[in-house]
Amino acid sequence: GAVVSQHPSRVICKSGTSVKIECRSLDFQATTMFWYRQFPKQSLMLMATSNEGSKATYEQGVEKDKFLINHASLTLSTLTVTSAHPEDSSFYICSARGLQRGALRASTDTQYFGPGTRLTVL
Amino acid sequence: GDSVTQMEGPVTLSEEAFLTINCTYTATGYPSLFWYVQYPGEGLQLLLKATKADDKGSNKGFEATYRKETTSFHLEKGSVQVSDSAVYFCALTTQGGSEKLVFGKGTKLTVNP
């Protein structure tokens, strides 16, 4: 249980275009999802926290108009990188905090991570 | 603010060697502590966790004990395998706080046959 998927796993786009990345909790409901960015050989940098049905909370220094986050349901959050530029190339990872649903249980104090999306902007 | 400090890598070991990756933390309140592992080209996977003092998390032969007196959560494994080669991240969340995970910088482990 507690599986999080991301789509796409890799994307290459031209500078100036927008790219949408999906994050889904497959077998549990996630009231809170997190978006991270990871630069090569470095740790994860939290970009924003999104709660289902409300606006995302962005970390200091993260442009909310450039990185649009939508958390429309308890199993789906999307990150849209608008007007992408080469410096936006990175590994984007989402995570989800669990909520017990029926017989499936995901610990509410644990974040479960997706496999990541490699974005390359040409 | 809350922070996690883990030993700088990279760490290179031979198969069946003993592994220790040190992790210490600074936090207000009573944090939950985690070790995550990231295999090449993949996202993070939860390896183990501990939610209160003296708890021991364990998984796949890895262990870590929550030591409040030394504010540490060192990762150990008695006999590493080549397949353990990955980057290991120590992290914490503060209970009742912002729910954010605070990560250490990661330690790259390479195990040679």
Side-chain angles (χ1 to χ4, degrees):
Chain A
V3 177
V4 176
S5 71
Q6 276 184 248
H7 178 79
S9 57
R10 292 177 180 273
V11 57
I12 300 173
C13 69
K14 293 182 178 180
S15 185
T17 61
S18 295
V19 173
K20 180 183 284 188
I21 302 170
E22 293 186 349
C23 176
R24 294 181 185 272
S25 57
L26 298 185
D27 52 2
F28 67 102
Q29 293 177 338
T31 53
T32 305
M33 288 186 170
F34 302 83
W35 287 96
Y36 295 84
R37 184 172 178 177
Q38 186 179 30
F39 293 99
K41 300 183 180 180
Q42 294 190 27
S43 190
L44 280 73
M45 181 192 80
L46 179 65
M47 299 174 66
T49 302
S50 80
N51 293 296
E52 185 264 340
S54 63
K55 291 184 178 180
T57 301
Y58 290 81
E59 294 300 298
Q60 193 171 7
V62 178
E63 298 176 60
K64 62 179 67 175
D65 294 330
K66 180 166 187 62
F67 299 99
L68 301 179
I69 291 172
N70 182 277
H71 191 165
S73 77
L74 284 171
T75 60
L76 173 65
S77 177
T78 60
L79 168 68
T80 301
V81 183
T82 62
S83 187
H85 288 94
E87 57 265 30
D88 298 325
S89 298
S90 192
F91 195 50
Y92 292 89
I93 305 175
C94 73
S95 70
R97 286 179 77 249
L99 182 71
Q100 183 178 353
R101 179 175 70 176
L104 296 175
R105 181 188 297 271
S107 173
T108 56
D109 69 346
T110 299
Q111 291 185 28
Y112 298 91
F113 284 79
T117 297
R118 174 74 61 192
L119 170 64
T120 302
V121 184
L122 302 176
Chain B
D2 298 345
S3 66
V4 174
T5 302
Q6 60 183 107
M7 65 185 285
E8 301 240 352
V11 174
T12 302
L13 296 173
S14 298
E15 208 164 20
E16 299 183 1
F18 184 86
L19 168 71
T20 299
I21 301 178
N22 290 337
C23 171
T24 57
Y25 67 89
T26 302
T28 54
Y30 301 94
S32 294
L33 302 174
F34 305 83
W35 277 101
Y36 283 89
V37 58
Q38 185 178 33
Y39 297 101
E42 299 183 13
L44 273 68
Q45 299 176 27
L46 177 65
L47 180 59
L48 54 85
K49 69 175 185 178
T51 57
K52 62 183 187 297
D54 299 326
D55 271 1
K56 177 186 283 188
S58 62
N59 186 27
K60 299 181 181 179
F62 291 89
E63 293 184 340
T65 300
Y66 188 144
R67 301 286 188 200
K68 191 168 184 290
E69 63 276 13
T70 54
T71 62
S72 65
F73 193 55
H74 304 323
L75 181 68
E76 295 182 338
K77 186 174 185 180
S79 176
V80 294
Q81 305 300 314
V82 173
S83 57
D84 294 327
S85 298
V87 180
Y88 293 81
F89 292 93
C90 186
L92 67 82
T93 57
T94 303
Q95 293 177 1
S98 62
E99 307 174 344
K100 299 177 188 178
L101 264 174
V102 176
F103 284 93
K105 292 187 175 180
T107 302
K108 183 177 181 179
L109 169 67
T110 301
V111 180
N112 294 319

